[in-house]
Amino acid sequence: MQKLAIQGGTPLHGEVRISGAKNAALPIMCAGLLTADTLQLSNVPELHDVSTMRKLLEQMGVKACVRGGEMALYGGQVDKPEAPYDMVKTMRASVLVLGPLVARFGEARVSLPGGCAIGSRPVDLHIKGLQAMGATISIEHGYIHAQAKRLKGARIFFDIVSVTGTENLIMAAALADGVTVLENAAREPEVVDLAHCLRAMGAKISGDGTDTITVTGVDELHGAAHRIMPDRIESGTFLVTAAATGGSITLTDTRADILETVLEKLGEAGAKISASGDRIHLEMNGRPKSVNVRTAPYPAFPTDMQAQFMALNCIANGSAMVVETIFENRFMHVQELRRLGAQIEVEGNTSVVRGVDHLEGAAVMATDLRASACLVIAGLVAQGETVIDRIYHLDRGYEHIEAKLSQLGANIRRLK
Ligand code: EPZ
């Protein structure tokens, strides 16, 4: 297992280019299954999850050509509408092939994702939506087996807001017969980016970005070119890192309009923030103030930024409440932060963080993607050396993170 060694205590200063959004790239790659033409993507982040998704599509028969941040996906020779367990178990987002496969090929066999560190994460809403569209679905030997001569438009109400559930059903509805209305749909910007891409392919979608999305099915979709939107969580992570270390940072190739709650919270913590065009600048003088956060579906505070703000609150002035309403077990980073000297009490889905004036470096272990980012932030502010184990979690979602942090002045190195 690879580790990261971090010498903390240095304020970070400098400029970072933000990569394409992982959680937009993954569903948009699956949209390549919806056409027999070529889908030309740009600004695709070079991440472990993206190469996992590419391999999953290739074993179905998709031809993928990758050059740097460019990826061409040719869906004209797909001959195996299956997603095997050994690939799905490493990446839950693999379930995003389900909707496109049933919509285009009338059949799919996709392994159930199983749980993951942050919660059970069922896919019942994905399945219920496809059944509402006329798919016959059976669960056998850990696989979802879905069949449909042709999906039919339906009105689907999500009991819980689900990002990939919404994305799966938009893609399924794009080739269905008739009109589908998704109610209580996810409003995340990554859903909007997927809709932009699908419209470029000829899909008829409206209401994306709101909680009611209408899709009028068409007979086929053609190829298109699409540039992946910037990663708002990577952006937020670097902003919190600069704030926690008492430094300053300029992000380029990013967007401020999709980070409003995060920017507002950083302002509350005492950061000076300015944004123009595709750049965001942050300065933090002195110690941050504690800020309460409560996660909820977009446009509220994102659950994927909860762990990072927990790290900020560990060394902030005051006490803060961190409430996690999306996942039932997304406080694994608390135990690790305590090893660095953090004062955190957990009661159900609420953590109370009492700011301490400094953390002490120690050996810690990453448990999931965003928890790893939290430990990197904590290591950068702690006095002495912090060694983070199991950093493969980090590589899933942050492109070239050591290089980006090093150019900001961080003392960080990967231990083979
Ligand atoms: C997406 O996961 C993101 N992943 C997650 O980011 C993110 O944390 C999450 O949305 C919430 O914003 C991708 O986009 C690839 P959900 P997703 O379906 O779609 C429950 C990261 O760090 N639920 O919106 O899997 C579920 O258990 C990752 O990049 C059901 O009960 O999340 C959860 O409690 C981590 N039944 C809640 O809904 C279902 O069928 C929200 O989950 C589906 C979901």
Side-chain angles (χ1 to χ4, degrees):
M1 300 255 189
Q2 290 191 348
K3 301 179 181 184
L4 274 184
I6 300 172
Q7 287 294 341
T10 318
L12 300 189
H13 294 282
E15 185 169 297
V16 165
R17 182 194 168 277
I18 294 301
S19 306
K22 167 177 85 79
N23 291 350
L26 295 175
I28 287 169
M29 287 169 71
C30 295
L33 290 165
L34 289 168
T35 175
D37 291 347
T38 297
L39 181 58
Q40 186 67 46
L41 302 177
S42 57
N43 200 34
V44 180
E46 290 173 51
L47 296 171
H48 193 264
D49 273 10
V50 168
S51 54
T52 301
M53 183 63 85
R54 175 177 51 76
K55 289 174 192 144
L56 175 61
L57 295 173
E58 284 175 330
Q59 61 95 34
M60 292 178 189
V62 171
K63 301 283 175 270
C65 173
V66 181
R67 204 176 38 258
E70 307 276 322
M71 180 186 285
L73 296 169
Y74 172 67
Q77 290 168 351
V78 172
D79 54 6
K80 193 170 157 236
E82 292 207 4
Y85 174 65
D86 64 336
M87 301 192 87
V88 175
K89 73 182 176 195
T90 66
M91 186 180 65
R92 168 190 166 72
S94 309
V95 72
L96 284 164
V97 303
L98 181 62
L101 289 175
V102 182
R104 174 133 177 263
F105 303 102
E107 177 152 32
R109 279 174 51 78
V110 176
S111 166
L112 279 168
C116 81
I118 60 179
S120 62
R121 302 183 74 183
V123 288
D124 56 309
L125 300 175
H126 302 237
I127 291 170
K128 203 175 113 188
L130 288 171
Q131 286 170 326
M133 298 173 78
T136 308
I137 297 192
S138 60
I139 310 282
E140 46 203 42
H141 311 300
Y143 276 77
I144 303 165
H145 187 209
Q147 288 175 294
K149 214 187 292 307
R150 185 174 182 194
L151 293 172
K152 288 181 188 48
R155 180 185 164 281
I156 296 163
F157 183 86
F158 282 91
D159 304 341
I160 302 175
V161 174
S162 167
V163 175
T164 50
T166 300
E167 291 164 344
N168 232 335
L169 293 173
I170 288 175
M171 291 192 277
L175 290 179
D177 178 14
V179 179
T180 297
V181 179
L182 302 180
E183 306 218 24
N184 199 27
R187 299 169 55 187
E188 270 69 4
E190 293 75 23
V191 175
V192 175
D193 206 37
L194 171 64
H196 282 323
C197 178
L198 290 169
R199 274 191 286 267
M201 297 167 71
K204 293 188 170 55
I205 303 170
S206 61
D208 43 294
T210 76
D211 62 4
T212 303
I213 300 174
T214 303
V215 184
T216 304
V218 294
D219 291 339
E220 64 178 20
L221 294 178
H222 49 71
H226 180 78
R227 178 180 169 77
I228 303 292
M229 65 176 280
D231 194 315
R232 64 190 166 104
I233 304 302
E234 186 195 19
S235 301
T237 303
F238 276 105
L239 290 171
V240 171
T241 303
T245 59
S248 62
I249 193 169
T250 299
L251 305 183
T252 62
D253 278 7
T254 186
R255 280 173 55 185
D257 65 313
I258 52 178
L259 265 174
E260 279 173 5
T261 51
V262 171
L263 297 182
E264 193 182 299
K265 286 292 169 188
L266 284 165
E268 270 179 48
K272 298 277 169 291
I273 298 168
S274 58
S276 71
D278 69 353
R279 302 167 80 89
I280 301 175
H281 182 74
L282 173 144
E283 294 204 7
M284 174 65 92
N285 299 313
R287 192 176 172 189
K289 291 195 282 291
S290 297
V291 282
N292 296 331
V293 297
R294 186 180 193 284
T295 68
Y298 193 89
F301 186 88
T303 175
D304 292 347
M305 284 300 303
Q306 178 256 105
Q308 296 90 317
F309 268 79
M310 179 95 70
L312 181 78
N313 278 322
C314 284
I315 44 90
N317 197 350
S319 292
M321 281 187 49
V322 177
V323 183
E324 172 57 58
T325 73
I326 303 288
F327 291 111
E328 68 265 27
N329 186 29
R330 204 170 196 177
F331 283 147
M332 259 98 41
H333 39 288
V334 169
Q335 285 294 2
E336 303 305 312
L337 289 169
R338 286 182 181 139
R339 288 180 49 74
L340 300 172
Q343 300 285 319
I344 309 172
E345 294 304 322
V346 177
E347 187 69 44
N349 72 344
T350 300
S351 288
V352 177
V353 187
R354 225 183 317 284
V356 292
D357 61 357
H358 72 276
L359 297 175
E360 305 267 333
V364 290
M365 189 172 80
T367 49
D368 65 85
L369 169 55
R370 306 305 172 182
S372 328
C374 154
L375 295 175
V376 169
I377 296 169
L380 287 167
V381 302
Q383 289 173 0
E385 180 173 73
T386 296
V387 177
I388 305 174
D389 198 355
R390 300 192 176 178
I391 56 158
Y392 59 85
H393 291 290
L394 202 59
D395 296 335
R396 296 186 53 170
Y398 290 95
E399 187 182 55
H400 313 319
I401 191 153
E402 302 105 278
K404 291 188 176 182
L405 286 171
S406 303
Q407 76 186 54
L408 295 172
N411 180 334
I412 182 170
R413 65 191 197 291
R414 187 173 288 246
L415 308 177
K416 299 292 178 203

